[in-house]
Amino acid sequence: MKSADIRESFLRFFESKGCTRVPSSSLVPDDPSLLLTSAGMVQFKPVFLGLVDPGYTRATTCQKCARTTDIDIIGTTGRHHSFFEMLGNFSFGDYFKSEACAWAYEYSTQVLGLDPDRLWFSVYEDDDEAEAVWRDEVGVPAERIVRMGAKDNFWSAGPTGPCGPCSELYYDQGPEVGCGSPDCRPGCDCDRFLEYWNLVFMQFDRQEDGTLVPLPKKNIDTGMGLERVAAIMQGVRSNFETDILRGILARAERVSGVEYGRSEKTDTSLRILTDHARAVTFLIADGVLPSNEGRGYVLRRLLRRAVRHGRLLGVERPFLGDLVDEVVERMGDAYPEVVEHHDLVKRITLSEEERFGATLKQGLALLTEAIGHTKARGEAVLDGSFAFMLHDTYGFPFELTAEIAAESGLGVDHDAFERNMEEQRERARAAVQDESWAGISASFAEIGKEIGGVEFVGYAHDACDAVVAGIVAHGVRVDRIEAGMEAEVVLSTTPFYGEQGGQVGDTGVIEQPGGRFVVRDTRVPAPGVISHVGVVEQGALAVGDRVHAAIDVARRERIRRNHTATHILHWALRTVLGEHVRQSGSLVAPDRLRFDFTHFEAPGADALERIERLVNAKIMENHPVRNYETSLAAAREMGVTALFGEKYGDIVRVLEVGNFSKELCGGTHVARTSEIGFMKIVSEGSVGANLRRIEAVTSFDALEAVYREEAVLSELERMLKARIHELPTKVEALIGRVKEAEARARAASTRAIDAAAVPELRAQGGYRVRIGRVDGLDAQELRGLADELRASTDAVFLASVKDGSVLLVAAGTDAAVAAGFDAGALVREAARMVGGGGGGKPSFAQAGGKDPAAVDAALEAVRAALETG
């Protein structure tokens, strides 16, 4: 049974039980307390808490998941993955233990056809009810039901909150796989009993004092790993031998020329390439980009770990793109987003591979230097903390560090390395909070449930009459607020746009005869709820009051112009720079727009000018702008662009600008492009690897930008006594004269130095070397002096203190280097003494330091080293 068949059979089976098939949510969760979507229940957390009504009480999903808290284990076993598919069925106050257990058994035996005599079941040690269901209702023999403790069979959302016992299903892979003990059973550390399905009975609410209070509605949350079930169904011992993963692994074999099964060491690397290629493809397709923090750092670690193991297999060229192709080919039917972003994923992986190649070289240079220092100190073991730094920062595996160190006769402190690794794992676990249920705005969700959601009329109206549906002050619901009080007000109907999709929230007023509430911001704190943030300016406001809500129309107009301009800018970027460009974030404010996009190098001035000209051409052509709602499936069929990394519901809003731009967008827009006036790019720059940012202004703000630039040009005309078209020539001539003057000043400064300040000595190798201190010179001046002195001797070592900082420079002729002079070694040792760092080649090196008081001692050490050899 292929993985795709298992996936579809599971979803169809639970549809037949009345469950609604729900698409997989993004790997980037809506919950800000979570780094990545790590389980099937993540998208249903607000439903489990009773804060959101999804319109159904039973659901089934195949959820793409990512877990990387123990990334270093992945590849060393056949079952751990950074990306996996979790099959699940859920009940929100509907069916409970009897149905969950019966259906799990039915699917396992009747659909999958698993031998009932090979199935075992665990229950929580105090859960008599679950054991009775398995034994008396399902008919499982009592001897194949095992009771286990809370560690294995009790699930908690956290120290407090929803929790409940679990029941797990195990498949007996046979005694030949086990440990041989007559007591071997589920829970044993051997591989005989494979846990493939976990049923969570969410029935309690744990209180602060630890007591368990029954929930008013009992829920079911199950999870079955697709990869594990595929391994059982396909009769293989490792997930990496199942159809999808084995296909990707086969591509890794072809790329590396290494056959799977040759050795455990190369098998581990091939499994890592297979697993990480799949995770990387899905993370990037869901909008995650490499960075040095958060989920971007997780992605970068996966990319670098894959590249590193590619190098261990002997692959020196970029290769991840080949594996991405295989992932897309094998999984694109089930997950069309990886097909849609195929080219972008490949471009980003290629960029990261090239970047990491340079980082590996840096790490190797540092390791070589550390080995030298360790041996110079007469030590036999390399510092384990240093080995961890190489692993964490430069991607060096411990094994590679140990191997290179062993070639130099050194060991590595493995215990110190492991302590650092465990500390990092703990930090990762604390940061991810896989089971956290934070981030749910309960007060607002309650209001939303009571009124069935807020009606937004702001696409067509700037003002409307409404009823105050709820008031929240400092996180607590209140019935009334008075003059001077700050609060958030929820109306039954509103023209105010809540901040989302990059567009800032509206401002304005909510009024009634007895009070006036000034709205400073508008946000969406819970699904379907729009909250007006502000202060009571006069009178009072109470729940149930009939009010008139009106937005700041002039401000909204400026926002609308900027928002439509971002869509035209997106089109222009893709036209000029290429189809790989994707929007990766934006800010649409009244006074400016900010647009982040994927690209792999800085666009030149010519490209930016072409982009700006294209945008303004479309603005002035006065194209119509149209909004309408449709299903997400229909929008995709029409070729509508879904913004990179965004998450959408079943019904989406499409924005069409003329016949050239068609994107999903829920924001507010102009009716025709000419309303924008014109757009002016004010800046462009990098905001991360493969990520660029343009800031621009439109309409009146663009006009103001032009006025400011004209004022600067007029002032330059006055100062330089030249017309605008003459300014470049005038400025270029001035710059040339300044550079000439600076060069003359530097030359005069170096000539003024008394040669006695840099005395000469005869080194051990017979060459002449000048060593001295010449304070007050900057780095460029010190290098110039070194070059000048080297011309009249064989070698030179100079130190300078300027503005409290130490500068060191050493240089030698080829003859001096041949006789033993090593500028790099001398500078590194002197830099250490003055509290700094640096280095270079034997012929030239430089460094900096922070301890001027140690300069003379450092120079004396250099003299001593050269005199004694």
Side-chain angles (χ1 to χ4, degrees), residues 479-508:
D479 293 327
R480 177 183 174 88
I481 48 177
E482 298 180 347
M485 293 181 64
E486 295 182 351
E488 297 189 48
V489 174
V490 179
L491 304 178
S492 59
T493 308
T494 183
F496 287 77
Y497 183 86
E499 179 174 355
Q500 55 187 333
Q503 180 174 325
V504 299
D506 280 326
T507 62

Side-chain angles (χ1 to χ4, degrees), residues 316-329:
E316 296 296 328
R317 67 170 180 85
F319 65 89
L320 280 173
D322 292 345
L323 301 186
V324 168
D325 290 342
E326 193 71 31
V327 173
V328 173
E329 181 178 337

Side-chain angles (χ1 to χ4, degrees), residues 636-686:
R636 289 190 181 277
E637 288 178 10
M638 292 187 292
V640 176
T641 301
L643 298 190
F644 186 49
E646 279 289 324
K647 296 176 281 293
Y648 300 97
D650 293 334
I651 302 299
V652 293
R653 191 171 180 82
V654 178
L655 179 83
E656 287 185 359
V657 184
N659 59 1
F660 61 90
S661 173
K662 189 182 294 185
E663 296 183 340
L664 299 181
C665 182
T668 59
H669 293 273
V670 299
R672 301 193 70 88
T673 59
S674 61
E675 295 176 37
I676 299 170
F678 75 103
M679 188 197 77
K680 181 72 177 170
I681 295 175
V682 295
S683 70
E684 190 283 332
S686 171

Side-chain angles (χ1 to χ4, degrees), residues 224 264 267 331 347 414 543 558 580 587 601 635 670-671 703 749 795 799 808 855:
M224 180 167 73
E264 184 54 35
D267 284 357
M331 303 189 73
R347 293 286 296 267
H414 188 265
V543 174
R558 296 170 70 192
H580 65 275
L587 170 69
E601 59 187 1
V670 299
L703 199 58
S749 173
L808 303 173
V855 169

